[in-house]
Amino acid sequence: MEPIITSLLETDLYKFSMGQAIYHQFSDYKTTWTFKCRNKDVFFTPEMVAEIKAQLQAYCDLRFTEDELEYLNSIRWIKGSYVDFLRLWKPRYKDFTITTDGECGLTIEAAGTWLNTSMYEIPTLAIVNETYFRMAYDYDELLKQFDRKLNEKIQWLESGKYTIGNFSEFGLRRRLSAEAQELAVKKLAEAVLDNGSHFVGTSNVYLAKKFGVIPVGTMAHEWIMCSGQGNHKHNPAYSNWYALDAWVKEYGVLNGTALTDTITTDCFLRDFQLTYATLFSGVRHDSGDPIEWGEKMISHYKKLGIDTSLKTLLFSDSLDFERAHNINRHFKETSDIKVAFGIGTYIANDTDVPALNIVMKITSCNGMDVAKISDVEGKGMCKNPAYVDYLQRCINWRMERI
């Protein structure tokens, strides 16, 4: 196969957002990332695993070009010191351990500095996805199905069947292929959407640069997990406070969309008080009931005396156009808060074959277990149940007493 990842820009923007803050504040942190396939009926053959290894080796041979660095430097909140670091940076294949063990026929772990390993997650998942679909199915037929469905989706937006306001494409990690994602971004950028929907951009920095749309993304769960739980002296129930504090030190009022559900949204709100709620331009939803979550955030802003018309609710959890339409309609009818959507697999990997449900998550930081306890069960991936229990007890103690 031809190389799947052809540029180090081909990752989600939040990897650069977090990467800059990691470089300036947590450059000595060490992390381990673990791959997991949640599909019970999927198996990676030894030939697929060999191809994944070859693709990751090719990825590790890439370097940023000066043109790419100049593009990153043009983003308002990216600093020259971080760009200079990226000029020297390269992925390390030695950080990966890849085997044919495991129920699905594939195990991947990446271990090393957080600076390095954070950058591996998205390209690794994109490589696994495309390798699987090219080798397990008739790829040309899948691409035809993808194109047909994509055209239908765009027609729905152009006709006004669905009105979803501002939305971005978030599908890189689970895309059918690089070709399919590029086709989706190109067609959405060219579409005439004047019936209540507006395509803003993509999380894929390479495609944002190529098509002149906005690169979108701020923070992921890893930021809260590592900055809050990776320090042995921290009480993990205050993970959000440590994460928000470090983010504001790095960005001030720029680049500010806070992720709420790493250790439950209710615990997040204990730390998202007046200063942070004012500085951050909005919040992102990634688990639980979206309407209930949005109403909770609006109520919180109002309790703090903050004008909700200045804030944005960004929804990014398992969306399609119908769900986004219903969420958008609800909040337009009931509030003045701004609403936006990040839509991933539905745009980037919709064929007649079910998409893979694969993840690559941080499982340790500085030798410590780390965990996510989101607003619904089943999204965490900690290797140590005792640590999850400890984290939950810390959260419960804080919520009951402070």
Side-chain angles (χ1 to χ4, degrees), residues 42-310:
V42 166
F43 185 80
F44 295 88
T45 66
E47 292 78 15
M48 291 178 185
V49 177
E51 181 63 33
I52 289 166
K53 288 181 178 180
Q55 290 288 340
L56 283 169
Q57 286 177 322
Y59 159 71
C60 290
D61 288 335
L62 294 171
R63 302 291 184 277
F64 284 102
T65 67
E66 286 302 316
D67 180 59
E68 291 169 341
L69 294 170
E70 185 177 331
Y71 176 78
L72 288 173
N73 201 44
S74 72
I75 297 173
R76 184 182 179 194
W77 42 262
I78 289 187
K79 301 171 184 175
S81 57
Y82 181 55
V83 174
D84 279 345
F85 163 75
L86 292 177
R87 183 172 282 111
L88 302 174
W89 183 78
K90 64 183 292 291
R92 276 171 42 96
Y93 186 71
K94 289 183 179 179
D95 290 343
F96 290 91
T97 302
I98 307 165
T99 78
T100 55
D101 300 333
E103 292 183 10
C104 71
L106 171 66
T107 68
I108 305 174
E109 279 208 337
T113 64
W114 190 15
L115 264 176
N116 277 358
T117 53
S118 175
M119 296 291 278
Y120 301 156
E121 176 195 2
I122 307 301
T124 298
L125 293 174
I127 284 169
V128 171
N129 258 300
E130 185 161 347
T131 299
Y132 177 79
F133 285 111
R134 282 188 181 273
M135 297 182 73
Y137 296 94
D138 180 339
Y139 170 76
D140 291 336
E141 178 58 32
L142 289 182
L143 189 64
K144 288 177 183 177
Q145 297 167 10
F146 174 85
D147 192 34
R148 171 177 51 81
K149 292 190 173 194
L150 174 64
N151 290 333
E152 184 179 40
K153 293 185 182 86
I154 292 173
Q155 194 277 325
W156 290 340
L157 297 181
E158 290 178 334
S159 68
K161 177 181 179 179
Y162 297 122
T163 57
I164 63 176
N166 292 333
F167 73 99
S168 302
E169 186 277 326
F170 273 22
L172 174 52
R173 71 181 61 209
R174 291 177 185 166
R175 68 189 185 185
L176 173 64
S177 65
E179 181 182 19
Q181 189 186 22
E182 181 167 332
L183 183 66
V185 173
K186 182 177 186 294
K187 287 193 173 186
L188 285 167
E190 293 173 347
V192 180
L193 304 181
D194 54 7
N195 283 308
S197 301
H198 178 58
F199 177 64
V200 175
T202 174
S203 62
N204 184 328
V205 184
Y206 174 78
L207 292 182
K209 177 180 182 294
K210 182 168 185 174
F211 293 107
V213 297
I214 298 172
V216 182
T218 52
M219 69 175 69
H221 297 99
E222 67 174 278
W223 175 254
I224 297 97
M225 292 164 69
C226 289
S227 61
Q229 300 173 38
N231 187 319
H232 300 193
K233 298 177 182 179
H234 288 175
N235 180 335
Y238 291 81
S239 294
N240 289 302
W241 184 90
Y242 291 110
L244 295 170
D245 183 61
W247 199 264
V248 169
K249 284 178 182 176
E250 187 67 33
Y251 294 113
V253 298
L254 299 176
N255 198 26
T257 301
L259 182 57
T260 70
D261 70 331
T262 305
I263 53 170
T264 74
T265 293
D266 287 339
C267 192
F268 169 84
L269 293 178
R270 294 294 177 94
D271 294 313
F272 198 61
Q273 295 303 314
L274 185 60
T275 298
Y276 295 133
T278 301
L279 290 174
F280 282 80
S281 59
V283 285
R284 177 160 75 93
H285 169 266
D286 200 51
S287 65
D289 183 272
I291 302 297
E292 180 182 321
W293 173 88
E295 293 294 347
K296 182 180 292 187
M297 293 309 308
I298 291 170
S299 175
H300 186 73
Y301 279 129
K302 288 181 175 179
K303 183 177 71 174
L304 296 174
I306 292 174
D307 183 355
T308 56
S309 69
L310 303 175

Side-chain angles (χ1 to χ4, degrees), residues 166-171 201 203 216 284-286 313-320 324 340-345 347:
N166 292 333
F167 73 99
S168 302
E169 186 277 326
F170 273 22
S203 62
V216 182
R284 177 160 75 93
H285 169 266
D286 200 51
L313 303 178
L314 173 60
F315 295 88
S316 63
D317 180 33
S318 304
L319 293 172
D320 57 26
F341 300 95
I343 304 177
T345 308
I347 292 177

